[in-house]
Amino acid sequence: MEAGIPARDGQWDRLDRSIPCILEKTRDRRGDRAAIGSEQFVYFDAGDPRRCVAPDAFVRLGAENDDFPTWTVWERGAPDVAVEIASANERSWAEKL
């Protein structure tokens, strides 16, 4: 492994795959409508498509959980919660967030 390049291990991969499943099960148990996204771009500035984030998972309560390739805040509202997993080896938290 090169210095400064974070490595993904099996534990991180399992956690990354588990987050959307956990959110879906939580929604199903509560009986709420909610849109759940994972590894999709969330655009929050209609005038500048470079201003976006791609959280590991996000949820918008009360929204239809239809197929959506990206999430546009000005059309669908801001996610109620977003989850991003970062390791201690991340180059810069500021870049990640």
Side-chain angles (χ1 to χ4, degrees):
M1 175 174 78
E2 294 181 41
I5 297 177
R8 289 180 65 140
D9 62 16
Q11 182 177 0
W12 192 95
D13 287 334
R14 285 189 302 278
L15 183 58
D16 189 42
R17 287 189 311 267
S18 298
I19 288 173
C21 294
I22 292 166
L23 295 174
E24 287 176 11
K25 287 184 184 303
T26 301
R27 179 205 57 209
D28 293 345
R29 287 190 121 171
R30 293 186 59 213
D32 293 342
R33 278 185 21 177
I36 297 172
S38 178
E39 299 293 341
Q40 293 167 294
F41 287 113
V42 175
Y43 293 93
F44 52 90
D45 185 342
D48 186 356
R50 294 170 298 170
R51 298 197 64 201
C52 64
V53 293
D56 292 321
F58 62 91
V59 175
R60 172 72 180 187
L61 298 173
E64 192 67 36
N65 194 29
D66 54 357
D67 287 333
F68 51 88
T70 60
W71 189 268
T72 49
V73 170
W74 58 92
E75 294 176 334
R76 303 182 74 125
D80 291 298
V81 65
V83 178
E84 179 67 26
I85 299 172
S87 72
N89 297 330
E90 292 292 338
R91 290 186 310 239
S92 166
W93 280 87
E95 285 179 33
K96 189 78 169 171
L97 301 175

